[in-house]
Amino acid sequence: MDYLPIFCQLQHKACLLVGGGEVAERKARLLLDAGAALTVNAYTFTPQFHEWAAQGRITLSEGEFSAALLAEKWLVIAATDRVEVNALVYQCANQQRVFCNVVDDPKRASFIMPSIIDRSPIMVAVSSGGKAPVLARLLREKLEAVLPQHLGKLAQLGGSLRQRVKKHFSDIGSRRRFWEKLFAHDRLAQSLANNDVALAERQIEQLFSHQPQECGEVVLVGAGPGDAGLLTLKGLQQIQQADVVVYDRLVSDDVMTLVRRDAERIFVGKRAGHHCVPQEQINQILLEQAQLGKRVVRLKGGDPFIFGRGGEELETLAEANIPFSVVPGITAASGCSAYSGIPLTHRDHAQSVRLVTGHAKRDGGLDWSTLAAGQQTLVFYMGLTQAADIQQQLIEHGMPATTPVALVENGTSCRQRVIEGELSQLGTLALQAASPSLIIVGSVVSLRSKLNWFSSQEAPQQLAQMA
């Protein structure tokens, strides 16, 4: 370990900053946020330093650095653009046993300034010991995205409840389960984020009124169309807090690698013509796991409320009074079209878009006349096996046989493949595609030649090859 990571309590403690430029200004903000009694020494100062001084927040010491400025100081930061001055500050600080940081010079520093994620009272610091500051910054940015802004409020709440929890739950195991439920309570966190004090208090009382192991719940999470980068921030938070993850075939391996490592994983994959686990059994799995007091995430490809049968699963939970919530995902239509360079709407091509299930039978109630109308885009989910019928019905109801079509296979993933052609060829094109594939029908497909940006393993079909 090159450095011992510590967090300093600097409230009302005297600190010295040598330097009055923009870099020094950034360091001053950190020290002021920590409550330091700050003296700043430099020949010239940015306007912000003068403003802070006028507000009484800092003391300015104009002129040359002197070792006398270190008297009674807890720490010092040297942030000038003169190497010899920074070196002198470090030397004097060492002699007086004052911790010193020299900006951009880790060899002349008895402490370093890490990248900080501030969710006070939760603080996270990331440092490379000065060896790779850009990497440390990138890691901080990733952590900023993962850690919700309301985390500090949740920690404050936990501190205020400690004595009550100790009195209410007699054994350590019960207390631990209570805290796990409290900190993983997504709706409570949302109430705190919204400053809804009344609702937060009711949710807290519910936790106290039930044994922690009895308070199971289910969170329905949309995993997006494949690319793990398209998983929402809230979805990521949920799968990293889950006790159990129930997932299907359309959830990509890349997304599954983000699931909490010690979470139980239950695969209920389904594919066209073959259901590994019947829907009724999936509903029962969710119910039983929640009744065991577990935090269950039902992870579904795309968006759970768009041809994902999410509503059916939640109906079962509602009937059993199991708490549930929903985190929407980027649906396949949106993701696949974007990664294929096919806008779903366009002023010159389509003023509306229709999402259609391809599982509907010929007499299944689809209004083919409306679907065949112009100035719209059709997106068929699960339509490969019905592609020939879709082609026939649309042409019979007036859609031109030359209407552009595209089949997007494994959309948004590194295995994405797009097959293009005309409506008259749809049935034949579908024989070349594998599930999961999405069928897009409409003149917007013609824009793909201009707008395709995603580098992938694609195989556009030329019309001449289909002859």
Side-chain angles (χ1 to χ4, degrees), residues 179-402:
W179 289 121
E180 288 174 349
K181 295 301 294 184
L182 179 94
F183 293 131
H185 198 308
D186 183 60
R187 285 167 294 163
L188 172 59
Q190 192 64 49
S191 299
L192 293 173
N194 295 336
N195 295 315
D196 192 337
V197 177
L199 180 56
E201 289 179 351
R202 289 198 298 271
Q203 291 164 338
I204 293 169
E205 292 307 317
Q206 289 174 358
L207 290 176
F208 276 107
S209 63
H210 296 85
Q211 290 297 320
Q213 62 269 28
E214 296 175 357
C215 298
E217 66 175 313
V218 176
V219 184
L220 193 58
V221 176
D227 183 350
L230 298 180
L231 179 68
T232 66
L233 173 57
K234 193 166 186 178
L236 175 62
Q237 293 166 354
Q238 294 300 328
I239 64 176
Q240 291 182 342
Q241 296 172 358
D243 298 315
V244 180
V245 175
V246 180
Y247 68 105
D248 55 45
R249 183 178 69 96
L250 295 180
V251 178
S252 69
D253 292 340
D254 290 339
V255 171
M256 289 305 298
T257 61
L258 300 174
V259 171
R260 175 176 152 185
R261 290 187 178 182
D262 57 347
E264 180 183 356
R265 305 182 183 200
I266 301 177
F267 178 67
V268 292
K270 298 184 291 184
R271 57 180 58 88
H274 176 69
H275 292 237
C276 292
V277 180
Q279 185 62 53
E280 294 75 15
Q281 188 174 342
I282 295 175
N283 298 348
Q284 194 63 29
I285 289 172
L286 299 177
L287 181 62
E288 291 174 352
Q289 292 295 321
Q291 289 174 334
L292 291 173
K294 297 180 180 180
R295 182 177 179 82
V296 184
V297 166
R298 173 63 169 113
L299 192 58
K300 304 174 76 70
D303 182 275
F305 276 6
I306 298 182
F307 303 125
R309 305 187 79 169
E312 298 175 35
E313 296 173 357
L314 295 188
E315 283 184 299
T316 301
L317 300 172
E319 292 170 359
N321 293 319
I322 296 296
F324 60 82
S325 57
V326 182
V327 179
I330 294 178
T331 188
S334 179
C336 293
S337 66
Y339 275 55
S340 302
I342 303 173
L344 294 178
T345 62
H346 189 285
R347 287 192 300 174
D348 298 330
H349 295 267
Q351 282 69 56
S352 64
V353 58
R354 294 180 182 272
L355 309 183
V356 189
T357 174
H359 277 176
K361 299 178 181 178
R362 292 178 64 98
D363 58 351
L366 289 180
D367 185 349
W368 289 105
S369 296
T370 300
L371 294 177
Q375 295 297 302
Q376 65 178 343
T377 304
L378 305 179
V379 181
F380 289 90
Y381 284 65
M382 303 164 289
L384 284 184
T385 59
Q386 302 292 327
D389 186 55
I390 292 171
Q391 169 188 325
Q392 179 183 345
Q393 291 290 342
L394 291 176
I395 293 176
E396 286 182 358
H397 286 81
M399 182 174 284
T402 56

Side-chain angles (χ1 to χ4, degrees), residues 99-175:
F99 276 110
C100 178
N101 170 260
V102 180
V103 174
D104 293 332
D105 191 355
K107 292 182 179 179
R108 287 195 178 96
S110 52
F111 79 94
I112 53 178
M113 299 286 285
S115 293
I116 298 171
I117 300 95
D118 187 357
R119 299 291 187 273
S120 296
I122 300 297
M123 300 289 293
V124 181
V126 180
S127 174
S128 65
K131 295 180 176 62
V134 174
L135 177 59
R137 177 178 59 80
L138 292 174
L139 289 174
R140 179 187 64 80
E141 291 173 357
K142 289 182 180 294
L143 290 170
E144 284 277 11
V146 172
L147 299 176
Q149 292 294 325
H150 59 251
L151 196 61
K153 292 183 178 180
L154 204 56
Q156 296 261 8
L157 174 64
S160 68
L161 294 176
R162 289 188 64 184
Q163 291 303 316
R164 183 180 175 187
V165 171
K166 188 174 182 179
K167 292 179 180 179
H168 189 86
F169 300 106
S170 58
D171 63 282
I172 294 177
S174 295
R175 294 172 195 163

Side-chain angles (χ1 to χ4, degrees), residues 51-112:
E51 183 176 339
W52 281 329
Q55 296 170 353
R57 300 183 64 188
I58 65 174
T59 300
L60 297 183
S61 174
E62 186 174 351
E64 186 176 358
F65 167 75
S66 167
L69 290 170
L70 291 169
E72 305 298 326
K73 298 298 189 294
W74 289 76
L75 61 79
V76 58
I77 297 177
T80 77
D81 57 2
R82 297 170 58 191
V83 175
E84 65 277 11
V85 174
N86 291 342
L88 177 61
V89 173
Y90 174 69
Q91 179 183 352
C92 293
N94 269 352
Q95 291 173 352
Q96 298 190 37
R97 298 182 180 180
V98 176
F99 276 110
C100 178
N101 170 260
V102 180
V103 174
D104 293 332
D105 191 355
K107 292 182 179 179
R108 287 195 178 96
S110 52
F111 79 94
I112 53 178

